[in-house]
Every structure is written in C-alpha cells, then in structure tokens.
Amino acid sequence: MTKRASVVSVSSPSPPRRRSKYTLAPLVLIAANVVLFSLFFVWPAVIGLLYSFTNYTGVGAFQWIGLDNYHNLFGDSTFYDALTRTLLYTVLFVPLNFVVSLLAANLVVSKHAKGGSVARVVFFIPWLLSPIVVGVLWRWMFGENFGLVNYVIEKFGGDAVPWQSNADLSLLVVVMAAAWAWTGFTMLLFIAAIKNVPVSYYEAASLDGAGPWRQFFSITLPSIAPTSFIVILLNTINAMKEYPVFVALNNGGPGTSNNLLVQYIYETGFKRGQIGYASAASFVLMLILMAVAIIQLIVNRRVENR
Amino acid sequence: MTTTDIPRPADVGSKGSISKKRPRKVATGGLRQAVSATALLWFMAFLYGFPVLWFVLSSFKPASDLFSYPLTLVPHNPTLSGFKAAWDSANFSQYFINTALVCVITTILTVGVSCCTGYALAKYDNRWLKAFFICILATTMLPGEVMLAPEFLVVRNLGLYNSFAGIILPAVLTATGCFMFRQFFLTVPDELVEAARIDGAKELSIFLRIMVPLSRPIMLTLAILSFQWRWNDYIWPLLMLNDPNKFTVQIGIQSIVGAQNINWSVLLGASVISMIPLIAIFLVFQKYVMGADINAGLKD
C-alpha cells in the first residue's frame, strides 16, 4: 500500500488536473440525470415562463398577451388574498417551528433530561405521516362538535371554540399541525449542529458560573447560527408551497378564506384551465422563493465571514 | 460544514460531546435542573405523541362509538371493522398496491441515478461537471409546486399522462440525493481510485465494484427518504392520474375527506393503514434515518 501511494505521488504531482482527462466516464455517470434535468426541469421552466405571457388554456391555439397576466394578477382579489394568507401562514409557521424544534433538540441532547432517545422517536414520528394524514388527524382532534380538544375544553367549563368556522382559528390549527409535523425533521438538523459545538466551551462557561440559559444564548445559539439560517430557509420555502395539509384539514376553509398560493395555482390552472394565468402566478411564487433564498444566502455568508 | 458530517450510522451520537447515553454525574445543585429538563421533555413528548395515540386508538372503535360521549381513550369494544371497511371500500387495496409499486420503482431509480451523479460530481474534475452541479443546485430553488402547470404539460406531451411513469420519472431527479452521495464520495480517499486505476481497472468498474458497495449506508438512507417522499406525495399523483384504478393511497384518503359526509370510521381506518409501511420501515431502520445529516449538501 505504501509503495502504491508513493508511485501515485510521483506520477501525479497535481491530481486534480490529471483527473480532468476523464470525459467519457463522468458523462456516462451523469447521463441519466442530465436527461431528467432537461426534460423535467429546463423544459417546464422555459415553457412555463413563455406561457405566463400568453392566454394558453392547455389545448389549442394561444395568443401572446405580454404582461397582461401579471397585471391582472395584482388586480385579482382572490390571488391577493391567497398571497397574503400564504405570507401570514409563513410568518406564523416558521418562528413556531423554529422555537419548538430547537427546544426539542436541546432537551433531547441535554445530559439533564432522562429518556432523550425515546422522546426523539416520539418527536420524529409525526414527520413520517403524510401531510394528508396530518390534516385528517388534526381535523379529528379539532372538530368543532366532536373533536377531543373541544371536548376537553367543555369538560373544564369552557365554551366550544370554533376551530373550523373561524378563518383565523382555522389557519392557526393548520400552523400548529404543520409545526407538529415538521418538528422531527428540523430537530434532527439542530441536533447535528448542537453536537458539533465543542464541549469545552460549555465546561469553561460552567466554571465561570454561567447557568443553562446563559450557556444557551451565549454559546449554543451563536454556534449553530449557520444551521439556523438553513432551517429558516427550508421552512420558509416549505411554508410558501404548503397545500396538502390545508386540503385535508379544512380544504382552505371556512369557504375560501384560507386558500393558499399553490391552491390558487391549482384551481386556476387545472380546474379553470387558465394555464397561462396559472403560470404567471407560479412565477410570482418563484420570485418570492428566490428572493427569500438570496436574502438568506447573503445573510448567511455575512455571518460566516464575521 | 466539513465532509466528516456524512451519515455514518455506526457512530451516531459518539461525537463524545454531549453524550446522552451516559449522562455525566450531575453537579451539585443540578438536581432541580435535571427534574425540570426531564419534566419539560416529557411534557413535550406527550404533546407530540398523544395526537397519534388518540388517532390510532380511535381507529379501533366501532363506528357507533366514535362520537359517543364521554369520549374514552381506550376503545371499549375494540374492533377491526374500520380497517376492514376502509380496505374493502373504493378500491383502497388497489390504491395501496399502486402506491407500493410506484414507491419501490421510484426509490430504486432515485438511488441508482443519484449514486452515479454524486460519484461523478465528487471524483471527477471537469468544468462542465461543475456547471451541472450548479444546475442541480438550481432545482432546489424551484420546487415542483412552482412548475405544476408547465410540468404537467411536458409530461402530457411526452405521452405519460395517466400512467405510473408520469409519476415516477419526474421524481427521480433529486438534488438532495445527489448531494448526499457527493458528500459521501468526497470522504472516500482519491488514492483508492488512483490505486485501482494503476491496477488497470476501468473507470466504470471502479465505480461499480469499489464505490457502489462502499456507499451502501447512504443508499439505504436515501432509499428510506425517497420511499417516504413518494408514499406521502399528494399533489403530483392527483394531477397525473384520472383513472381511479391507478389512484394512490393519499388520493384515496383525500377523496374520503372530500365527501359530503365524512365517514370517519373508514377515514380513520384508511389513514392508519397508510401510516403502517412508513412507521414499520422507520422502526426497523431508525438509525439510518436518525443518523442522516439530511441536508448535508445544502449546508456548503
């Protein structure tokens, strides 16, 4: 083995450049992915952008109508409601999920808390459930006339809460359901990050008399900042494109008050056959997501270069 | 993010830092802390575990007991009638088989394609490979939901509408999978490849005979993830399929929810049946899921 290693080092003083002579092998290896990428990413992205400037209905001829779709979108109160409702949902979901996941991760790895490995499995199981089942499960818990939650509330002398017929409460239930479902995944990211914080930091802090809260805010939180940014980014993107939980939990209700962007795209594109218009709505969603990603990347880089 | 963060199931939690397995002697005055941390942990675990427990136990109640007051946690007359009704109703068993088929095929293809791509990205150094890597990165910026309409048209133009291929093929392309394999192969020393080359091995046989077997843990991790993604997928199969014989489980459940009067007994049964495969896989392969640094690639 040592002999081989020395031969290699003599014959290839600069391995990276030497490797670049291989063309066929890497090409074969990525061929399948290149085909998939072109068919199911580039092609849809290009025609999606083109169709967003047309009145295409999915069949037959279509006309180039320039920016009309985009112009109409912002005059369309249904779109506007869906957009603001999506933003509200994101603003509620992301911080809630962040806090509970971080708390769960800290408790699970804490040397003070007993039974962390069992609790970790409990936190994780909701993430395995499909968004549809999550919606069904929370509908079952939060049914207005039959749900367990209202039953308990009434048992303790309270009044039944209109979880389904009040639009804001109905959104809140979805926020809680989604945070509940996502905690397991986000927690895993946090656990990995927390475990990478050198234990000597905590030992030094303990010697200096720092309590657990102080240690958390002065050591843990700054040390896991890069992961926190990723978590916020991923959660924001996921929240912006949420749909199945809403469908199964209250179908965007009561009425249409909690219709979100993806639901709007689905309704206009596939129910009403306005592909061009739906494509324009998709690109607005895409621009928002890209803006979020770019802001996050910039902030992240700044934090890491500090 | 260093390359050492890649999932190595064997040493999960052995970083030595905050070992939860063997808690160190709690310092004096730490007892109160231990009690409050444990209490908080278990309170949270209760909040997370109870809804599932309640849901699953309810599914064992006969339809007549579902709404009978006072509500009870443990069913008085446990029965499997809800499951039976769900399984027999509206082709649910067919949905189940369809979903299993789609999941298995997609998973095999996803693992294979991601492994090849990840290896190429990690071990070859061409300019166009770097460009392709950026392309793969771009797919994470544009989630499928954004391209629902155009992607639907593309798949329809390819003649794949209302076919399983229409669900399977677009799902094979996954950035996370490529990242996971890339990160793993970066940790494999280049010398191993060089040595094999000097021994006269062809490029593809190095990959197939040395690298593929090495990457078995990553394959398993991605397989579990991929299976879960596809099993739980809803909107794409909904768009792609209009033949009720081809529906997947999630569409089946949603159609019960969407009915005028929800048949809760059937709905609970169907939902619980749909949870079983994933929970079973998770419990068997827990360490691969829990040890996986799922966002490995996204961090650097």
Side-chain angles (χ1 to χ4, degrees), chain B residues 263-277:
Chain B
N263 185 340
W264 275 100
S265 182
V266 171
L267 181 55
L268 288 168
S271 304
V272 172
I273 292 173
S274 84
M275 288 157 50
I276 293 171

Side-chain angles (χ1 to χ4, degrees), chain A residues 24-209:
Chain A
L24 187 64
L27 202 58
V28 170
L29 287 169
I30 66 166
N33 224 332
V34 171
V35 172
L36 292 170
F37 175 76
S38 322
L39 279 182
F40 300 117
F41 188 76
V42 178
W43 188 7
V46 170
I47 67 168
L49 186 59
L50 291 179
Y51 284 145
S52 75
F53 299 110
T54 69
N55 60 2
Y56 190 47
T57 58
V59 282
F62 56 87
Q63 271 184 329
W64 189 263
I65 55 168
L67 287 172
D68 279 8
N69 282 331
Y70 293 91
H71 191 249
N72 292 341
L73 267 181
F74 284 92
D76 181 348
S77 66
T78 321
F79 171 76
Y80 206 71
D81 290 345
L83 180 63
T84 48
R85 218 58 188 171
T86 308
L87 292 176
L88 179 62
Y89 169 73
T90 307
V91 167
L92 293 171
F93 165 77
V94 174
L96 178 65
N97 187 40
F98 186 94
V99 170
V100 293
S101 305
L102 187 55
L103 181 63
N106 268 296
L107 287 170
V108 163
V109 299
S110 163
K111 61 182 184 213
H112 298 298
K114 301 274 178 290
S117 45
V118 178
R120 178 154 63 161
V121 173
V122 174
F123 292 137
F124 196 76
I125 282 179
W127 190 64
L128 294 170
L129 309 186
S130 78
I132 293 289
V133 171
V134 168
V136 171
L137 193 153
W138 281 69
R139 188 191 268 242
W140 178 238
M141 296 276 296
F142 279 82
E144 261 176 55
N145 304 318
F146 58 81
L148 178 69
V149 175
N150 271 356
Y151 175 74
V152 172
I153 290 174
E154 285 177 341
K155 197 97 201 199
F156 284 97
D159 290 327
V161 180
W163 298 113
Q164 302 281 335
S165 49
N166 177 309
D168 295 328
L169 285 174
S170 163
L171 183 73
L172 199 64
V173 174
V174 185
V175 170
M176 289 192 289
W180 177 81
W182 273 96
T183 297
F185 177 80
T186 316
M187 176 192 73
L188 279 194
L189 304 185
F190 278 133
I191 288 175
I194 291 171
K195 280 190 175 164
N196 279 333
V197 181
V199 74
S200 57
Y201 290 7
Y202 294 104
E203 284 163 0
S206 282
L207 288 178
D208 289 346

Side-chain angles (χ1 to χ4, degrees), chain B residues 58-80:
Chain B
S58 297
S59 70
F60 286 99
K61 291 179 182 171
S64 54
D65 281 8
L66 273 179
F67 304 103
S68 66
Y69 281 79
L71 296 175
T72 50
L73 179 62
V74 182
H76 283 311
N77 317 300
T79 168
L80 296 174

Side-chain angles (χ1 to χ4, degrees), chain A residues 4 7-8 15-16 18-20 22-23 25-30 32-34 36-37 39-41 43-45 47-48 51 56 58-59 100 103-104 107-133 136-137 139-141 145-148 151 155 179-180 183 185 188-189 192 194-197 199 202-203 212 227 230 234 237 241 243-244 247-248 262 265-266 270 275 278-279 282 285-286 289-290 293-294, chain B residues 5 13 15 17-18 20 23-24 26 30 33-34 37-38 40-42 44-45 47-52 54-55 58 66-67 69-71 113 116-117 119-120 122-126 128-129 132 135-136 138-139 141-143 145-158 169-170 172-173 178 190 194-195 197-199 203-204 207 225 228 232 234-235 238-239 250 253-254 257 262 264 267-268 271 274-275 278-279 282-283 286 289-290 292-295 298-299:
Chain A
R4 260 183 207 159
V7 170
V8 169
R18 206 177 145 266
R19 279 190 295 163
S20 67
Y22 296 98
T23 310
L27 202 58
V28 170
L29 287 169
I30 66 166
N33 224 332
V34 171
L36 292 170
F37 175 76
L39 279 182
F40 300 117
F41 188 76
W43 188 7
I47 67 168
Y51 284 145
Y56 190 47
V59 282
V100 293
L103 181 63
L107 287 170
V108 163
V109 299
S110 163
K111 61 182 184 213
H112 298 298
K114 301 274 178 290
S117 45
V118 178
R120 178 154 63 161
V121 173
V122 174
F123 292 137
F124 196 76
I125 282 179
W127 190 64
L128 294 170
L129 309 186
S130 78
I132 293 289
V133 171
V136 171
L137 193 153
R139 188 191 268 242
W140 178 238
M141 296 276 296
N145 304 318
F146 58 81
L148 178 69
Y151 175 74
K155 197 97 201 199
W180 177 81
T183 297
F185 177 80
L188 279 194
L189 304 185
I194 291 171
K195 280 190 175 164
N196 279 333
V197 181
V199 74
Y202 294 104
E203 284 163 0
T227 301
I230 291 297
L234 286 176
I237 290 174
K241 63 196 179 88
Y243 171 64
V247 177
V262 173
I265 293 167
Y266 174 74
F270 297 95
I275 296 272
S279 297
S282 298
L285 174 58
M286 188 203 80
L289 293 182
M290 279 177 75
I294 289 166
Chain B
D5 277 343
K15 276 244 151 75
S17 49
I18 312 166
K20 54 184 192 323
R24 257 163 253 156
V26 179
Q33 231 183 72
T38 307
L40 187 58
L41 177 71
W42 284 101
M44 266 192 91
L47 286 183
Y48 277 78
F50 186 77
V52 179
W54 171 248
F55 192 68
S58 297
L66 273 179
F67 304 103
Y69 281 79
L71 296 175
V113 167
C116 293
T117 311
Y119 177 72
K123 288 284 175 255
Y124 294 96
D125 195 40
N126 295 326
W128 46 267
L129 270 176
F132 187 62
C135 292
I136 296 275
T139 63
M141 302 267 282
L142 252 188
E145 283 81 355
V146 169
M147 298 200 296
L148 280 179
E151 198 167 353
F152 173 83
L153 295 175
V154 165
V155 175
R156 196 188 61 182
N157 288 343
L158 291 171
L169 289 178
V172 171
L173 173 74
C178 298
D190 285 352
E194 297 291 342
R197 278 174 188 157
I198 287 160
D199 287 348
E203 287 303 300
L204 292 181
F207 171 67
L225 287 178
Q228 191 219 351
N232 290 343
Y234 167 68
I235 192 163
L238 176 73
L239 290 178
Q250 307 302 335
I253 295 174
Q254 174 51 29
V257 185
I262 298 176
W264 275 100
L267 181 55
L268 288 168
S271 304
S274 84
M275 288 157 50
L278 287 178
I279 305 265
F282 172 72
L283 291 178
Q286 208 206 103
V289 185
M290 287 304 200
D293 195 351
I294 295 162
N295 74 334
L298 296 168
K299 269 203 258 178

